[in-house]
Amino acid sequence: MNRHLAGWVVTCALAATLVVPAQASWVQVPVCTASGIQYGMRMVPDGSGGAIIAWTDTRNGPYQIFAQHLLSSDAVDPSWSSSGIMVATNVDGFDIAPDGAGGAIVAWDTGSAFDVYAHHVLAAGTLDSSWPSGGQVLAVAPDNQIEIRAVSDGAGGAIVTWQDYRNSLTTGWDIYAQKVLSSGVVDPSWPTNGLAVCASALDQVSPALVSDGNGGAIIAWEDQRNGTDADIFAHHLLGSGAVDPTWPATGKELSAAADYQVNPYIVSDGSAGAIVAWTDYRSGTDADVYAMRVTASGALGQGWHNNGEVLSNAASDQELTDLTSDGAGGAVAVWQDRRNGVDYDIYAARILGTSSTPWTADGVAVCTASNQQVFPHLTADGAGGFALGWQDFRNSGVDLYVHRLLATGSVDPSWPPGGHRVTFQGQMGSSQGHEPALLPDGSGGTVVAWDDACSSGCNILAMHLTAMGRVDVPLADESSPFRVLPNPVRGSALFSFRLMGESRTWLSVHDLQGRLVSVLLNERLPGGEHHVKWEMRDQTGRPVASGVYVVRFEAEGHTLMRRIVAVR
């Protein structure tokens, strides 16, 4: 997809001239552009650097679930239907879990009776014919079963949990779960219509689910058993279909602080336990972010503060929106934050399994641009860092921005300040149903997907981002109008460019693994002609070795990339 560059031109004199055309390529893969509205994505890895993406779809009228396979090559799988395969009809909410064989299991509640079903999407792009044609029934019970969550059972099946209203006259909302085998059969060792994980008095809602790594799962939820305010509880489900008898019978209390603790997120601690984080109103005036670790035995993390470890209790509201494992027994949380005024910014914090936080108190500022930045989500990128994406209102309309954090907690200096702008139409959906989804690609990069508003509705798009933050597009070869002559180059390089108006400008050099070699420019410049010289030295002043490097230029909301060959 071509994006006009608002008229600016870049030239590079490397004993000759590099001419950049007035446009650049941005590869936004159209996962689905069918009629109607596609929104509310879920995405899981396919195990080969790609992803299975599922979404809610209105092309045929009632809400349906469709799915598509995005290959690691940034193309839609040609063996799948070009507009996705239909998984289910008459759907209210759903979730998706990988099957470990390149496909996925999708679980949902129906839009009328609100019962729970699941189906298996094969890697070949078809529904599993060994499963019932309309999906396997996991629970049919009175009243509503909603807020579906699913994880892999590690054997090709899935464990599914939900909040359940079958006992509305006695206990209110409860937490139930069910296990479906890879064969499409409900595990016969589990109770018919689901296992009651917690059916205490008053409401248990908003379940969050993670695998225990042993065929079972840990579930966290909001719980009102202690009064009208919600607290955070968790329980351990064994693969055999029973709650863990070594845990308290109705779940372990993680926080019973004053006022509300809501919206839990959960990740594995790498030792069959979990770390749970939530939005917390114990201050009585605004929202903060807290976390707690619960071990495989049901004990709270040693050294963790009672009722949770504070990640941020800065001024005004901090509202948690995502949590991911750090791969070392801890977790990274990201939230939208109003400490700087009425608009939300993006902050993040890491907490170790030992409870000490190596990052800045009250979180690291990821983006504090003008206007609103909301609904951030993140993933570990598999290269020691963390990729984030969010809705951003700094421009006209709503855009998707992404950024990267290093393992140290600092914002990656090789990325542009304030993040990398992915969309340019200002048409990203501006509601909670339009949050971005991110996954590591297994090579240090990130797959990001979103639903993009257009004149005919919303479509599903995806993009591949490398560790250095660029859109993963083929770099121009020597036959392109964007070229360097001569190439290879020797000696210093002089980069020249013309800006149409004042702009934040970024110029940097990277190696082919995306690692930063040198930042040549990072400042706001006036319109007009500018020149920057590179003496072929790295950030510390040492001469670079001979080899291939990537030059990155960003200004006025657009990015250009170019390979150069340095010879000494």
Side-chain angles (χ1 to χ4, degrees), residues 297-350:
S297 65
L300 299 182
Q302 186 175 2
W304 290 61
H305 286 97
N306 188 39
N307 290 324
E309 196 81 31
V310 62
L311 299 187
S312 178
N313 58 0
S316 195
D317 290 324
Q318 292 81 50
E319 299 171 8
L320 181 70
T321 57
D322 206 2
L323 185 73
T324 193
S325 172
D326 68 357
V332 176
V334 65
W335 61 88
Q336 55 193 39
D337 193 305
R338 291 201 299 193
R339 72 183 69 180
N340 298 319
V342 296
D343 294 335
Y344 283 107
D345 299 316
I346 307 300
Y347 280 74
R350 182 181 181 186

Side-chain angles (χ1 to χ4, degrees), residues 258-260 280-288:
D259 221 315
Y260 287 90
D280 196 300
Y281 290 87
R282 71 183 67 184
S283 70
T285 57
D286 52 44
D288 302 313

Side-chain angles (χ1 to χ4, degrees), residues 3 26 28 399 421-427 556-559:
R3 304 293 180 208
W26 294 82
Q28 296 180 346
D399 288 307
R421 186 180 181 185
V422 172
T423 60
F424 287 89
Q425 305 97 327
Q427 291 182 322
E556 298 180 342
H558 304 278
T559 301

Side-chain angles (χ1 to χ4, degrees), residues 161-162 166 175-179 190-198 236-238 241-243:
T161 190
W162 61 89
R166 71 183 69 179
I175 304 298
Y176 275 72
Q178 187 60 278
K179 181 179 179 181
W190 286 58
T192 301
N193 292 324
L195 169 70
V197 178
C198 182
H236 183 203
L237 279 65
L238 303 177
V243 293

Side-chain angles (χ1 to χ4, degrees), residues 283-541:
S283 70
T285 57
D286 52 44
D288 302 313
V289 180
Y290 280 74
M292 178 60 84
R293 181 186 176 204
V294 60
T295 69
S297 65
L300 299 182
Q302 186 175 2
W304 290 61
H305 286 97
N306 188 39
N307 290 324
E309 196 81 31
V310 62
L311 299 187
S312 178
N313 58 0
S316 195
D317 290 324
Q318 292 81 50
E319 299 171 8
L320 181 70
T321 57
D322 206 2
L323 185 73
T324 193
S325 172
D326 68 357
V332 176
V334 65
W335 61 88
Q336 55 193 39
D337 193 305
R338 291 201 299 193
R339 72 183 69 180
N340 298 319
V342 296
D343 294 335
Y344 283 107
D345 299 316
I346 307 300
Y347 280 74
R350 182 181 181 186
I351 188 164
L352 301 181
T354 57
S355 82
S356 60
T357 54
W359 290 4
T360 304
D362 284 324
V364 173
V366 179
C367 181
T368 58
S370 60
N371 296 328
Q372 300 273 15
Q373 289 81 47
V374 293
F375 303 132
H377 289 267
L378 82 166
T379 183
D381 63 13
F386 304 89
L388 303 92
W390 63 88
Q391 290 182 15
D392 198 298
F393 290 76
R394 75 183 76 173
N395 308 299
S396 177
V398 188
D399 288 307
L400 170 62
Y401 273 73
V402 293
H403 217 323
R404 183 172 185 261
L405 288 171
L406 303 176
T408 59
S410 61
V411 174
D412 192 329
S414 70
W415 288 53
H420 187 97
R421 186 180 181 185
V422 172
T423 60
F424 287 89
Q425 305 97 327
Q427 291 182 322
M428 188 184 184
S430 57
S431 70
Q432 191 166 356
H434 302 262
E435 301 167 21
L438 301 94
L439 282 177
D441 67 358
S443 301
T446 304
V447 178
V448 57
W450 69 98
D451 50 275
D452 196 84
C454 62
S455 59
S456 60
C458 280
N459 301 140
I460 304 297
L461 302 179
M463 187 175 282
H464 193 185
L465 304 173
T466 67
M468 65 188 290
R470 71 177 178 86
V471 179
D472 191 18
V473 299
L475 294 170
D477 60 26
E478 297 305 322
S479 65
S480 167
F482 179 30
R483 54 185 179 156
V484 177
L485 293 174
N487 197 2
V489 298
R490 295 172 174 84
S492 63
L494 181 64
F495 297 87
S496 300
F497 54 91
R498 183 183 302 111
L499 299 177
M500 296 301 294
E502 182 178 333
S503 174
R504 186 80 184 188
T505 307
W506 175 271
L507 183 64
S508 56
V509 181
H510 306 257
D511 64 18
L512 288 181
Q513 285 70 50
R515 293 184 293 255
L516 177 68
V517 174
S518 181
V519 175
L520 307 179
L521 187 63
N522 177 16
E523 59 184 283
R524 183 168 290 279
L525 297 176
E529 194 81 18
H530 300 274
H531 306 277
V532 179
K533 190 175 184 179
W534 182 44
E535 299 286 357
M536 294 193 177
R537 295 179 181 274
D538 66 15
Q539 198 75 352
T540 66

Side-chain angles (χ1 to χ4, degrees), residues 9-63:
V9 178
V10 182
T11 61
C12 172
L14 300 165
T17 301
L18 162 66
V19 180
V20 179
Q23 58 185 5
S25 294
W26 294 82
V27 175
Q28 296 180 346
V29 181
V31 177
C32 181
T33 58
S35 61
I37 298 173
Q38 292 83 45
Y39 71 99
M41 299 160 306
R42 301 288 187 269
M43 182 166 66
V44 294
D46 67 357
S48 301
I52 305 295
I53 304 174
W55 63 88
T56 303
D57 199 300
T58 67
R59 73 183 74 172
N60 299 319
Y63 295 116

